[in-house]
Amino acid sequence: MNRIRQQRIKFNLGQNKGKFMKKFGKFQGAIALSLMALVLPACANNEEANIPGTGNVTTEDVVDNTAALAGKTVTVRSEPVDKVGPASFTVSDQKFFGSEPILVINASGEPFTLPADDIEVQVTGIVRNLVVADIEREYDLDLDTEYYTDYENKPAIIAQSIALAPDPGDITKNPQKYYNQRLAVTGEVEDIQDANTFTLDEEKLFGATDLLVVNPNPKVAIQDDQVVAVTGVLRPFVLADFEREYDLGWDLQLKQSIEAEYSTKPVFVADSVYPSAISE
């Protein structure tokens, strides 16, 4: 009996082991597929930069993939590091230890003053290896070469647009600081009122509120909880002004609701809204 019992025990253990190994194999396969799903897009982003036209990248991407990105338009969002010349500064991803700063040259034709505090900026421009003489000629700029000795033949972004990039809560907590300025804001969509009216969720700053966004000319549909990038201008909400300047198509109930909640409060008037590849 003992020998039979031992054989049964061994048989059951063998069966259980087989089942376990089969499940473990499936588990390993799932892990492998998950890792491939993470790694392959990362490789594509690094090698191809995933930028058909304009793409969100990090400054580290620009440093590591200058050759692949050269001549392409990219968007980076970062805190400025240092002012270099009258029309240039550096940006860097502080979260990446030892990340090399990237030079940004303002070729937008609009003056830009670096923020005095820790507000990020969003830069959209063309990646180039810096050759000052070429940049001056191609963009009709007058650059003082003494500022750029340390940056010659290194990756740079020739900026076509530069905007402050505060968080939604930074704006609603201190709107006077941002009124009538061009901004680039990233946030999570919440409380969609209609096709051109929604809020960006604020969960980071204590005492801050969500930011109302009005998009007079929506080009893409948005969804709740979607992270989007919005560019535009901040202004105080005055219903009469908005009705005169924009064809928003609000019905009476929506007009009354928004006026009751947002009268004289900040409203972000968007000129573009698009899915963001920049995490919050």
Side-chain angles (χ1 to χ4, degrees):
M1 291 295 292
N2 288 338
R3 180 176 297 176
I4 294 173
R5 186 178 293 112
Q6 287 174 353
Q7 288 176 339
R8 285 178 178 173
I9 289 171
K10 286 181 180 178
F11 178 76
N12 290 336
L13 285 173
Q15 279 192 320
N16 290 336
K17 182 179 179 182
K19 291 178 181 178
F20 173 78
M21 292 305 293
K22 188 175 180 180
K23 290 181 179 179
F24 184 68
K26 291 181 178 179
F27 181 63
Q28 283 182 310
I31 291 176
L33 289 173
S34 299
L35 288 174
M36 287 173 66
L38 291 172
V39 171
L40 289 177
C43 292
N45 284 340
N46 284 337
E47 294 175 9
E48 301 296 333
N50 195 26
I51 303 170
T54 300
N56 301 133
V57 299
T58 66
T59 59
E60 188 179 46
D61 289 330
V62 177
V63 172
D64 293 344
N65 301 284
T66 306
L69 291 170
K72 294 185 178 179
T73 300
V74 301
T75 296
V76 298
R77 179 183 172 120
S78 172
E79 289 182 14
V81 178
D82 288 309
K83 183 177 176 64
V84 176
S88 58
F89 56 94
T90 58
V91 292
S92 178
D93 286 308
Q94 303 295 336
K95 61 185 176 183
F96 295 115
F97 179 75
S99 179
E100 185 176 340
I102 296 292
L103 179 70
V104 174
I105 293 181
N106 184 4
S108 68
E110 299 290 334
F112 181 77
T113 302
L114 292 180
D117 45 21
D118 295 331
I119 298 298
E120 292 185 333
V121 298
Q122 179 169 298
V123 175
T124 298
I126 298 173
V127 176
R128 297 281 299 269
N129 269 321
L130 182 68
V131 177
V132 172
D134 291 347
I135 302 301
E136 286 183 312
R137 182 180 64 257
E138 294 174 32
Y139 293 92
D140 193 24
L141 298 174
D142 184 14
L143 303 175
D144 192 333
T145 55
E146 68 173 299
Y147 293 113
Y148 303 104
T149 303
D150 293 338
Y151 301 95
E152 192 81 11
N153 294 312
K154 292 184 178 180
I157 298 175
I158 314 304
Q160 272 73 62
S161 70
I162 307 174
L164 292 177
D167 290 323
D170 291 323
I171 295 172
T172 57
K173 206 165 186 180
N174 188 12
Q176 298 292 339
K177 182 177 180 178
Y178 302 104
Y179 276 141
N180 302 313
Q181 293 191 64
R182 182 161 180 77
L183 305 175
V185 184
T186 298
E188 187 175 288
V189 173
E190 191 177 72
D191 192 20
I192 298 174
Q193 301 282 343
D194 67 359
N196 52 23
T197 312
F198 60 93
T199 63
L200 290 180
D201 188 28
E202 173 49 53
E203 295 180 343
K204 296 180 180 179
L205 295 181
F206 178 76
T209 58
D210 294 351
L211 175 64
L212 180 67
V213 176
V214 171
N215 184 14
N217 299 296
K219 294 181 175 61
V220 295
I222 57 170
Q223 300 177 348
D224 273 322
D225 301 327
Q226 181 182 12
V227 177
V228 296
V230 185
T231 60
V233 176
L234 188 73
R235 42 186 304 190
F237 180 73
V238 178
L239 179 60
D241 293 345
F242 275 61
E243 286 190 307
R244 183 177 62 254
E245 297 175 34
Y246 309 112
D247 182 16
L248 298 174
W250 290 345
D251 61 27
L252 180 60
Q253 182 178 356
L254 183 54
K255 285 181 189 178
Q256 292 174 339
S257 172
I258 291 177
E259 185 175 35
E261 186 169 355
Y262 291 99
S263 183
T264 72
K265 290 183 179 179
V267 175
F268 193 37
V269 181
D271 52 46
S272 68
V273 178
Y274 52 94
S276 176
I278 303 175
S279 60
E280 288 188 280

